[in-house]
Amino acid sequence: MNNKTYITTTLPYVNAEPHIGHALEFVQADTIARYFRQKYGKENVFFNVGTDEHGQKIFKKAQEENISIQQFVDKYSDRFKEYCKLFFVEYDNFYRTSTKEHAQIAQKFWEICKKNGDIYKKQYSGYYCVGCERFITEKELIDGKCPDHGTEPELKEEENYFFRLSKYREILLKWLEENPEAVKPQNAYDELKKIVSEIEDISISRIKEHLPWGIDVPNDPAQVLYVWFDALTNYVASIGFGTNEEKFNEWWPNTIQFFGPDNLRFQGAIWQGMLASAKLPHTKKLLRHGMVLGADGRKMAKTLGNIVSPFEQAEKYSAEIVRFYLLAGISTFADGAYKEDDLVNMYNARLANNYGNLLNRVIHLANAKEVNINEEQNVEREFKQKVDEYKNEIEKAYEELEIFLALEKVDELADWGNKYITEKEPWSKELTKEQCQTVLNNLSYLLKIVSQLYYPAIPISANKAKEALEKREKIILFNKL
RNA sequence: GGUGGGAUAGCUCAGUCGGUUAGAGCAUGGGAUUCAUAAACCCAAGGUCGGUGGUUCGAUUCCACUUCCCACCA
């Protein structure tokens, strides 16, 4: 049986510093990657992240900063690498779209679509907003002005290449009908169906003269690939598409793509259409996570002064605590407000008071009573059954990408452990040594499982906890905040 | 502006395919206790389920409108 799972995030566009939303996505994907690695082995997971480095905005930003574009993208790409490191995001591949190799594969993808009759040239005339740097449809205009900038767009004419996305409308709808599990959560699935039912052909190139920073259209150096067409191909390129078919065929069938609410159209409709055109299978699982909002429940914005800096947060609380909060305190799929009070409460309640404290109770008592623990074969059957029941439920949640839910249940299991130890009173002098040993050994098994199930979210602490238990060393893993 | 999604205890969220007293965790208050990070354990209080109207014997759950929030609009 092939257990290989390929996990990829969206490639962030490198026109600015990483923000907390990037952390959410990276950390979610990393958690799932770690879960699968732990469960099925390292060799069965391939985790891709990277940066999207072409397009108008980057071109312009580099000019503003007065450095070469390559320097600019190198700088920001490095920032994202550091960012991953900061939050313990352990990727197998960091993909960059500004490499020569990527250009070749994106062009190859283009040629396949072209060969299959899905790319054609069309005179395009429309309203162009300089502020947005894009064409705006007539429907979008408000009083003849751009809805975002309030300025009057210019009439502009351009000959572009178009992708025959409309050809795949029915095919994609059928795919969705037949695979209700393909998109998480349910409302993203519903939304995608609606988007797909209305898809039209899309422009997939730009005139090079306007945008010198991009990948040349094959056989037409006057045009460059539209940045989205170019970037989307990374999902297959990173696992060998166009370079290593065997590797590609091994990984692609079981793919999980993580992305944000603004990306549903691209990952769910356009990319799936591109895959269909290239005669490749659709993505197995699309996970649309939510948006991290400011503490006031509004979208973070400079003008609202509610921006949460991931760097400051990591500095203030430690990156792992921030990581834990993003996973356990903010819904996996819905928008959620980042509130420091919640972070503190959640950390104290779940990690310090519940998990960390139970760990110390058990280690301390085992040492004081000089009894054996960590003997899995001696765990009472009924107790083991109960713990394994939790374990199965939690693993099921992880497999279904329900991270928030999984972590809630891990907390429940630790909580049950605290109730158990209170009820059994292994500190009581009325218990025989054997009875005491049974209780503490049972609990050592529970703690091992809890640590294992917490590991994908808080890898460093969970490993330390496991070690402390094995060595019977009492430590304060989670200092209260 | 158009379209889609959301609004349930102080906070984070479950839930109701319409039906007697709407659930959990955290936070709060009280009790009991001390093996442990003054942690854990037990109990309690907390909500006209965003607003208005409609369908219905009955709506938090269905429908319409409305307010606020989020996203998208090649």
Side-chain angles (χ1 to χ4, degrees):
Chain A
M1 185 189 148
N2 182 11
N3 275 325
K4 290 200 177 329
T5 305
Y6 169 47
I7 295 162
T8 178
T9 62
T10 306
L11 304 192
Y13 196 63
V14 289
N15 63 338
E17 291 287 333
H19 55 67
I20 195 88
H22 294 124
L24 178 84
E25 182 170 313
F26 285 168
V27 162
Q28 282 189 350
D30 182 66
T31 297
I32 294 301
R34 283 175 187 273
Y35 170 78
F36 280 114
R37 279 194 202 116
Q38 183 176 249
K39 174 105 187 180
Y40 301 110
K42 228 177 148 82
E43 69 283 2
N44 285 316
V45 174
F46 193 86
F47 177 29
N48 180 57
V49 303
T51 39
D52 177 5
E53 307 180 4
H54 285 126
Q56 185 91 34
K57 281 180 186 151
I58 285 167
F59 180 67
K60 223 172 134 182
K61 261 278 171 76
Q63 282 182 327
E64 279 169 24
E65 291 196 14
N66 211 13
I67 55 176
S68 80
I69 310 177
Q70 194 61 52
Q71 277 178 313
F72 180 87
V73 296
D74 285 350
K75 176 178 137 191
Y76 279 97
S77 196
D78 281 348
R79 287 285 162 78
F80 276 91
K81 279 186 190 163
E82 286 161 20
Y83 198 60
C84 285
K85 206 169 166 191
L86 174 63
F87 287 104
F88 310 106
V89 174
E90 225 173 70
Y91 49 79
D92 295 301
N93 186 52
F94 192 98
Y95 197 95
R96 297 189 56 187
T97 64
S98 67
T99 63
K100 220 181 272 167
E101 293 74 24
H102 171 68
Q104 281 166 4
I105 290 168
Q107 286 171 331
K108 185 165 183 178
F109 204 100
W110 172 289
E111 277 172 335
I112 292 170
C113 295
K114 179 119 197 256
K115 202 181 98 211
N116 292 334
D118 293 331
I119 293 180
Y120 62 94
K121 223 171 179 182
K122 192 172 99 177
Q123 192 69 22
Y124 188 71
S125 111
Y127 298 101
Y128 186 86
C129 172
V130 182
C132 301
E133 289 166 4
R134 67 173 183 91
F135 287 99
I136 306 175
T137 59
E138 224 165 319
K139 277 188 256 170
E140 287 179 63
L141 296 177
I142 298 163
D143 301 325
K145 286 175 183 166
C146 167
D148 293 331
H149 293 87
T151 52
E152 233 169 279
E154 329 170 351
L155 205 59
K156 215 168 158 182
E157 216 165 82
E158 221 180 272
E159 195 174 46
N160 286 161
Y161 288 94
F162 275 71
F163 176 67
R164 221 178 283 284
L165 185 59
S166 62
K167 178 173 148 190
Y168 295 100
R169 199 183 293 143
E170 298 309 320
I171 292 167
L172 293 185
L173 279 176
K174 195 169 160 243
W175 159 64
L176 286 172
E177 289 292 344
E178 288 170 358
N179 297 282
E181 297 289 310
V183 187
K184 290 209 79 157
Q186 181 67 40
N187 58 14
Y189 173 81
D190 294 342
E191 206 177 329
L192 182 59
K193 258 198 185 159
K194 166 100 177 143
I195 289 172
V196 165
S197 71
E198 293 171 355
I199 48 176
E200 299 292 342
D201 293 355
I202 54 163
S203 159
I204 52 168
S205 75
R206 293 288 181 269
I207 293 200
K208 198 174 181 176
E209 206 180 302
H210 299 162
L211 178 57
W213 181 240
I215 297 170
D216 286 356
V217 167
N219 305 313
D220 188 350
Q223 301 245 352
V224 296
L225 307 195
Y226 176 45
V227 63
W228 269 105
F229 190 95
D230 137 23
L232 285 167
T233 62
N234 98 84
Y235 300 127
V236 289
S238 77
I239 45 167
F241 175 80
T243 53
N244 185 342
E245 288 307 300
E246 199 186 327
K247 184 179 174 195
F248 175 73
N249 290 328
E250 205 172 36
W251 291 103
W252 183 250
N254 196 16
T255 295
I256 306 169
Q257 279 179 245
F258 284 77
F259 56 91
D262 49 336
N263 258 282
L264 185 61
R265 163 180 228 94
F266 291 100
Q267 320 259 352
I270 298 174
W271 172 234
Q272 300 307 320
M274 285 166 66
L275 286 168
S277 173
K279 310 218 183 318
L280 297 174
H282 293 294
T283 305
K284 179 87 169 290
K285 252 194 174 140
L286 295 162
L287 184 148
R288 191 207 59 181
H289 59 76
M291 177 148 255
V292 184
L293 306 171
D296 53 1
R298 294 166 148 268
K299 192 183 177 181
M300 290 184 201
K302 271 185 194 153
T303 50
L304 291 171
N306 61 353
I307 293 183
V308 174
S309 159
F311 301 102
E312 275 174 33
Q313 289 295 301
E315 175 91 7
K316 190 168 171 186
Y317 300 108
S318 98
E320 207 178 23
I321 295 177
V322 173
R323 185 175 156 119
F324 180 72
Y325 175 61
L326 287 172
L327 295 164
I330 288 180
S331 157
T332 308
F333 306 106
D335 295 348
Y338 190 104
K339 298 180 183 180
E340 287 190 50
D341 284 356
D342 285 359
L343 177 147
V344 170
N345 280 336
M346 184 149 285
Y347 168 81
N348 282 341
R350 291 197 186 183
L351 297 184
N353 297 349
N354 195 18
Y355 173 44
N357 188 39
L358 181 64
L359 183 74
N360 276 346
R361 294 175 91 173
V362 171
I363 293 172
H364 176 88
L365 279 167
N367 290 339
K369 301 273 178 184
E370 297 180 319
V371 297
N372 296 333
I373 54 169
N374 301 319
E375 293 179 337
E376 195 169 329
Q377 69 281 6
N378 293 333
V379 176
E380 285 181 303
R381 221 177 104 209
E382 206 182 322
F383 186 92
K384 189 165 190 301
Q385 258 173 15
K386 178 89 178 172
V387 173
D388 289 347
E389 218 172 277
Y390 270 107
K391 182 176 176 238
N392 290 337
E393 245 182 276
I394 294 160
E395 291 191 333
K396 190 166 164 255
Y398 272 125
E399 307 254 345
E400 288 173 0
L401 314 178
E402 298 274 2
I403 300 168
F404 184 88
L405 197 69
L407 294 175
E408 198 170 67
K409 285 185 200 256
V410 181
D411 180 57
E412 255 176 60
L413 175 53
D415 185 56
W416 182 75
N418 265 314
K419 286 184 171 70
Y420 176 82
I421 196 173
T422 303
E423 190 200 317
K424 298 293 179 186
E425 300 183 340
W427 50 84
S428 162
K429 291 193 173 70
E430 282 166 38
L431 288 190
T432 64
K433 191 169 173 180
E434 286 71 36
Q435 288 173 315
C436 175
Q437 175 161 299
T438 301
V439 171
L440 292 175
N441 186 54
N442 282 351
L443 283 164
S444 72
Y445 175 69
L446 180 143
L447 281 165
K448 184 187 140 195
I449 298 299
V450 166
S451 298
Q452 192 180 309
L453 294 168
Y454 259 146
Y455 167 79
I458 44 169
I460 311 304
S461 296
N463 276 343
K464 277 189 193 159
K466 233 175 123 187
E467 211 185 298
L469 191 65
E470 278 159 14
K471 292 185 175 164
R472 308 172 59 125
E473 264 170 24
K474 203 181 151 183
I475 49 162
I476 301 287
L477 252 185
F478 307 102
N479 267 307
K480 282 198 77 168
L481 293 174

